[in-house]
Structures are given as structure tokens and as C-alpha cells.
Amino acid sequence: MQVTDKLVEDLANLSRLSFNEQEKEEIKKDLQKMISFVNKLNEVNTDGVEPLLHMTDAVNVYREDIVQGSMRKEEALLNAPAADGNYFKVPKVIKK
Amino acid sequence: MPIPYEKYEAVIGLEVHAQLLTKSKLFSGDSAAFGADANTNISPIVLAYPGALPMLNKRAVEYAVKMGLACGCSIEHTNYFARKNYFYPDLPKGYQISQHTTPVCKNGFVKIRTANGERDILLNRIHLEEDAGKSLHEVDDRNTSLDYNRAGVPLIEIVSEPDMHTAEEAFAFVTELRKLVRYLGICDGNMEEGSMRCDANVSIRIKGEKELGTKVEVKNLNSIRNVKKAIEFEISRMIELVESGGKVIQQTRSFDASNDTTFSMRTKEEANDYRYFTDPDLPPFIITEELLHAIRAAMPPLPEELVRKYRDLLHLPEYDARVICDDAATIRYFELLIQTTTHAKAAANWLLGPVKSFLNDKGESMDEFTLDASSLATLIELVESGKVNFSIASSRIFPVMVEKGTADALEVATELNLLQNSDAGDIAQWVDEVLLGMPEKVAEYKKGKKGLIGLFMGEVKKLSKGKADPKIATQLLTEKLEQR
């Protein structure tokens, strides 16, 4: 798989990131390396092996429907980059 | 030239999101209740703090399975959650936890009824997922404000096949779904408050064609009526567009309730790339046969089954059976009634007659009705045994009983002196008085105008203030008229 400018641009768009030309070249190189690394795994014959979706055999890890564990609003908003006493704030996400 | 609308057929698929009535969220213990102060039902799991781990709410799974069973779906044995990745501030994690390759319910159908009769609308799937937070754009000029109370609230998404062809069918489909979720008690079905939401996929094609046309997704349908209006508008818009040489483009449109039209929100050039993958934080859950049995056993009989039961076993007219089965509260009440009285038809008449009109007058719904079913049953028994007539019972005794909430009809009737008089002596006196007062009518009767018996009966009723037992009165009237 070839990492093209378009792929980097698409991924940047999906993650809401932006890169300048120089960064883009570096990212392309890094991504290409990652892909080669993961491609190595393709050399292993996995015929008849079910995909491993979880690292443990745990199933049915349920919680009862009980209300507990909420944090105080003040405490929650404390970690927000921007907040007003009630809401988390982000740059406007719709155009007027 | 008139536009040949009838040349085209619309194809409609619906996606309905229903918030489950659990106490807590799908993967955290925060309250799932609507209407709390902003950002008070949130936790490190909702806010995606590093290391916070989601844990599945068992009840949400049971509710989803209930819905699947009610719709005749096949239930997935081994279920995985998937991350649906998108970057938007309404979910702090950067992804929504949903089900992708293994929806908990597959296939199934919802029975609808329209002017064209009964039809099963095929379902594609029902899956579990978490709701997103709420973005408020008006609170602040420069920023979007976020309330994460709704983030993580459990939803089921019910996806139909593109199996509907008219706005009426879509209307009937959403109506049936809402009835069903309410009846099962898994969602309050309140579209205005957003606890049930509907998106419609609409396309058109020339009748007879097999291939689907380009579809448009219509959002923001916050009532069942708007579902219908939006689809009606969209079908006409598309046909007019195509007839005038245009081409339908794939886009997302929003319904504007102020003028019943839709407008373009965004045009999709390519499918969103959600990069689904299995959520490693959530181990799979397995719907075992035992769990399935337990859920099935705890389910009330479905409205469709009850319609059949009322029609075939209790011999109610189909119409009455359907009206009773229209909402859960009426079903519950009727079920209680028929536990205490064997007069099912009379019970249905009472429910659909005096009870419904009492509630209509007050603008109340069945679950606000205060007279308990066993009390109403005593009144039904009283009328059926001939101790009071129906009109006295409904106009005089019923209101007093409703006032009391719990009451014995016989006691109330005795107190109000409304019990029917079966004493032949008393009735004979009333009969005599009536006949003496109307010699001309009696003569006409003797000449063969037998229909006058109704008039005499009416007079006896009046004279006795409704208390004369009608059977005895009729018998005495006939006898005495023959003797004259």
C-alpha cells in the first residue's frame, strides 16, 4: 500500500488535523514505515485461524442498571480547555 | 403539462433511534434521565479520561432483545461492540460505541395497517449504541456549548429495509413502532423531546423498475406527522426535479416544520469513512438460550396476539379489540376488568364508551384514570344483572364512583336510590298509570299498532325515574294491553 498525498490529506481531514508541506512529507514517511511494519505480519499463514478480537476470553461482563459514579459538574469542567460554569466550549461547529 | 406523479414509485427506508428507559447509561453509571442540569450526569467514562473503561448495562441488552423478539427478529448469539470513529465534539472519545457486524437483532418485521390493508414492513436490523452529547449553538456567540448528559444514553437503532412506498406507510410504521416500544416499556416514544428520532431515506424510480434511485436522507423529523409531511414533500420534489430534466443528487436534507419543506444540509460526495473496528475495551456479550427464555417469559403478550385473543376468544368485534390494543394503559385496564367480570363485551363497551368520553372531556389519558378496574367491574356486574340500566349507570353512578376512586357500585346505587325495582307490584302500578293516561294510544295498539309498546315503555321509565326493571315492565305491559 502506497501512502499518497491524498491518503494523508484524507486522514488529516478525518482527524481534523492539518500539516504543512514539510510535515506532510514526514508523516508520509512515518506512515509508510508503519504500513511496512504491519505488512510483515501478512507473511504469517493465518489460514483457518479465527480473528482474535479480544485479548482475554472474558464474555458477558455486565453492570447492573444502577445509577452511580457521576462526578460533580465543577470537577468535570475543571479539566476542560474552555468552559463557562455549565457547558464545555468548543469553537463554533456550524457556519452561520 | 401536468406532472405525471403516478408514473413514479417512491422507495422509503426508515432509521428510528429509540432511547431506552434504563436508569443508567449504556456503559457508565451516570443517570440516563432526561432534563437534568447540564453536565451533571457525566463521569470519567463519558468524558473519555485516559484509562476509564466502559462496562455494559445488562438491562439495555435485555430491552434490545425484547424489541427484537417483539418484531420477530433473529437474535445474534455472540455480539461485539464496534467503534464508529468520527471527530466531532458531541462525543469526547472521538468515536461512538455501536454495533457494526453483529447487530443484536436481524431481520424481522413490523405489521402496519393503512387504507390499503395490512402489510409487514421488513426490518434489516436493530442494534445497540450510545447516544451523543448535545451541541448548543445559541448559548454563546463565539462557541458551541456542549452538554454531555445525553452522551452514552442507550439507544436502539431500528433500521427498516427500503420496503415502504408511500408517506402513509412510513407514518403507519413509526406509529406502530412507537406503540410497540411504549407497550414493552423500553422507550417513552416521545418524539418531541427526542427520545424517539426518525431519519428517512427516500428515493424514486419509474414504476416497475427494480433498481433503486439515488437516495436522499431526511433528518430532523420530530413528530410522526412530520415524518409523513417530509416524505410527501420529498417525493414530489424529486419527481418534479426529474420531470423538469434534473437529476436527484445524494444528499442529507433537513425538514423545516415552519413551511413543511426540506432543505439541503450537506451533499455527500463520498461515503463517510467511519473506520469501524471492534472495541477492545468491551468483551463480547452472549445471548444464551437461558437469557432468551427469561426475557421471553417476562414479556407481556403482544398487542397483535391480544387482538386475536379478544376477537376469537372473547368475541369482541375486531374494531373494539384494536381500539383497546392501541395503547398499553387501555390493555392493562381491560385485562384487569376481564379478570373480575365475565362480561367482556360489556367491559369493552364501558371502556370505549363512558370511560373514553370521560377521559376525553378531561383531556386525560388512560393511565390517568383514577377509578380502579375492580370497582368498575362491580358496576358492569350491576348493569348486567339488571339491577340498574346502562344509562343510569353511566350518567349517575359512574361519575360518583370515579370521584371516589374505589367504590362498590351496589352501595353507590343504593345510596343514590337508583336500584332498579323488580317488584312486580310497584311496576304494575306504574304500568297501569301510564296506560290509563293514554287511552287513545292504547286503542291504536289494540288495532294492531304494536310498535307503540316502545312509547309505553318510555313512559314507564320516565314515571319510575328509570328504576322499573325493563324485562318485568315489558312483560306486564304486554299482558295488561292484551287484557284491555
Side-chain angles (χ1 to χ4, degrees):
Chain A
M1 184 182 181
Q2 195 60 43
V3 180
T4 60
D5 282 349
K6 180 160 187 326
L7 180 67
V8 175
E9 280 157 23
D10 288 348
L11 289 174
N13 177 44
L14 287 169
S15 353
R16 304 292 185 269
L17 296 172
S18 59
F19 308 115
N20 62 33
E21 285 307 311
Q22 196 198 329
E23 287 168 331
K24 204 189 277 177
E25 284 310 310
E26 282 168 26
I27 297 257
K28 260 166 72 178
K29 252 186 259 162
D30 283 351
L31 277 177
Q32 195 63 64
K33 265 193 225 157
M34 287 182 220
I35 288 170
S36 317
F37 176 72
V38 174
N39 268 344
K40 190 97 186 129
L41 296 175
N42 281 341
E43 293 169 18
V44 183
N45 184 348
T46 55
D47 288 351
V49 178
E50 284 293 311
L52 178 70
L53 296 174
H54 287 90
M55 298 306 288
T56 70
D57 292 333
V59 292
N60 299 340
V61 183
Y62 289 119
R63 186 172 58 75
E64 292 304 317
D65 184 24
I66 294 165
V67 175
Q68 57 182 19
S70 290
M71 57 207 294
R72 292 197 356 264
K73 178 167 70 178
E74 295 72 27
E75 197 186 346
L77 293 173
L78 211 57
N79 292 310
D84 70 1
N86 286 312
Y87 296 105
F88 294 84
K89 300 283 184 181
V90 297
K92 266 252 193 276
V93 291
I94 52 164
K95 288 185 204 112
K96 283 235 166 179
Chain B
M1 210 177 71
I3 298 169
Y5 292 100
E6 64 294 335
K7 205 169 90 185
Y8 294 90
E9 171 186 64
V11 180
I12 303 156
L14 295 179
E15 290 167 17
V16 177
H17 286 90
Q19 271 179 6
L20 298 178
L21 282 173
T22 53
K23 293 191 180 69
S24 65
K25 292 187 178 180
L26 186 53
F27 301 114
S28 66
D30 305 296
S31 165
F34 177 82
D37 281 348
N39 292 309
T40 51
N41 297 335
I42 56 178
S43 61
I45 295 169
V46 172
L47 295 178
Y49 283 7
L53 282 174
M55 201 167 171
L56 179 57
N57 184 338
K58 190 175 186 190
R59 176 152 304 152
V61 172
E62 288 167 0
Y63 282 3
V65 171
K66 256 189 190 181
M67 187 62 181
L69 290 174
C71 296
C73 300
S74 54
I75 308 296
E76 181 71 48
H77 178 265
T78 310
N79 287 264
Y80 295 92
F81 281 104
R83 293 183 179 180
K84 179 181 180 178
N85 297 280
Y86 69 91
F87 198 85
Y88 198 75
D90 61 2
L91 275 174
K93 297 193 298 300
Y95 55 85
Q96 177 193 29
I97 305 177
S98 180
Q99 291 191 293
H100 185 50
T101 49
T102 58
V104 62
C105 315
K106 270 194 268 193
N107 305 320
F109 63 90
V110 171
K111 196 180 275 305
I112 63 161
R113 228 162 276 100
T114 63
N116 295 325
E118 223 172 64
R119 196 160 89 76
D120 292 340
I121 302 298
L122 299 179
L123 297 182
N124 175 284
R125 61 192 278 160
I126 301 174
H127 68 255
L128 268 167
E129 63 183 31
E130 58 177 344
D131 208 342
K134 196 166 185 178
S135 315
L136 298 110
H137 305 292
E138 310 300 330
V139 176
D140 174 333
D141 284 342
R142 286 186 303 276
N143 299 302
T144 290
S145 305
L146 285 135
D147 173 4
Y148 290 119
N149 281 350
R150 200 179 63 186
V153 166
L155 299 174
I156 46 172
E157 179 174 344
I158 303 147
V159 184
S160 85
E161 290 292 346
D163 193 27
M164 286 160 272
H165 299 294
T166 62
E168 287 73 30
E169 288 193 331
F171 181 89
F173 178 80
V174 183
T175 306
E176 283 306 317
L177 272 190
R178 184 166 67 170
K179 258 197 290 193
L180 203 53
V181 293
R182 283 180 172 167
Y183 181 71
L184 295 172
I186 62 171
C187 169
D188 67 22
N190 190 332
M191 291 188 79
E192 286 73 18
E193 279 179 7
S195 52
M196 195 170 130
R197 305 191 285 268
C198 178
D199 301 332
N201 290 303
V202 186
S203 63
I204 55 162
R205 62 184 173 197
I206 305 274
K207 273 180 191 161
E209 267 180 22
K210 284 276 163 288
E211 215 167 300
L212 292 169
T214 305
K215 75 174 179 191
V216 162
E217 186 175 7
V218 190
K219 290 186 174 285
N220 196 21
L221 307 172
N222 61 354
S223 74
I224 302 188
R225 255 157 44 95
N226 287 349
V227 171
K228 182 163 175 255
K229 283 182 183 166
I231 293 172
E232 274 166 359
F233 176 85
E234 205 42 44
I235 294 171
S236 305
R237 186 189 71 84
M238 287 178 174
I239 294 176
E240 286 155 21
L241 180 69
V242 170
E243 280 294 312
S244 62
K247 203 169 155 249
V248 175
I249 49 168
Q250 187 173 341
Q251 56 181 323
T252 304
R253 298 178 72 88
S254 180
F255 180 67
D256 182 353
S258 67
N259 57 10
D260 295 349
T261 61
T262 66
F263 60 91
S264 175
M265 287 167 79
R266 54 180 179 268
T267 302
K268 279 184 193 168
E269 269 104 26
E270 51 199 299
N272 272 318
D273 182 359
Y274 290 124
R275 294 150 293 152
Y276 284 99
F277 66 90
T278 310
D279 193 325
D281 286 346
L282 287 156
F285 66 94
I286 289 171
I287 312 283
T288 57
E289 275 306 308
E290 285 136 294
L291 182 60
L292 213 50
H293 279 304
I295 295 172
R296 200 177 272 135
M299 271 171 69
L302 296 171
E304 273 305 317
E305 294 166 26
L306 288 174
V307 166
R308 281 199 294 276
K309 169 179 152 190
Y310 297 163
R311 187 191 57 202
D312 301 341
L313 291 178
L314 302 181
H315 307 294
L316 296 190
E318 165 115 14
Y319 177 83
D320 292 9
R322 289 216 176 276
V323 180
I324 290 169
C325 294
D326 233 19
D327 82 306
T330 311
I331 292 177
R332 277 197 296 274
Y333 200 91
F334 185 69
E335 284 288 310
L336 287 173
L337 272 184
I338 56 174
Q339 275 171 26
T340 30
T341 172
T342 51
H343 302 287
K345 179 72 182 101
N349 289 346
W350 271 94
L351 210 46
L352 305 181
V355 175
K356 273 268 146 80
S357 47
F358 172 83
L359 291 171
N360 286 345
D361 287 349
K362 292 210 127 191
E364 287 178 353
S365 62
M366 193 64 211
D367 42 14
E368 294 168 280
F369 188 53
T370 47
L371 179 61
D372 66 49
S374 55
S375 297
L376 181 58
T378 63
L379 185 55
I380 294 170
E381 288 297 326
L382 203 64
V383 174
E384 294 306 306
S385 66
K387 292 204 176 72
V388 288
N389 71 36
F390 176 78
S391 80
I392 295 256
S394 60
S395 65
R396 307 275 309 271
I397 304 174
F398 176 68
V400 176
M401 292 180 71
V402 171
E403 199 64 38
K404 290 178 188 264
T406 305
D408 180 68
L410 182 61
E411 277 173 27
V412 175
T414 313
E415 228 168 83
L416 297 173
N417 191 24
L418 292 169
L419 278 185
Q420 242 159 31
N421 196 329
S422 323
D423 184 307
D426 289 349
I427 297 174
Q429 269 184 14
W430 287 319
V431 166
D432 285 338
E433 201 177 327
V434 164
L435 296 182
L436 275 169
M438 317 176 91
E440 288 156 31
K441 296 286 174 198
V442 172
E444 282 177 47
Y445 179 92
K446 298 294 271 184
K447 281 185 201 144
K449 214 171 164 188
K450 302 285 182 207
L452 283 170
I453 188 88
L455 176 81
F456 300 132
M457 245 331 269
E459 290 300 314
V460 172
K461 255 192 205 163
K462 250 192 244 165
L463 192 63
S464 70
K465 300 197 176 67
K467 284 162 68 180
D469 183 313
K471 264 196 213 123
I472 300 173
T474 315
Q475 196 190 336
L476 283 173
L477 264 173
T478 321
E479 279 173 24
K480 289 188 185 276
L481 281 163
E482 294 310 319
Q483 286 163 15
R484 274 171 197 265

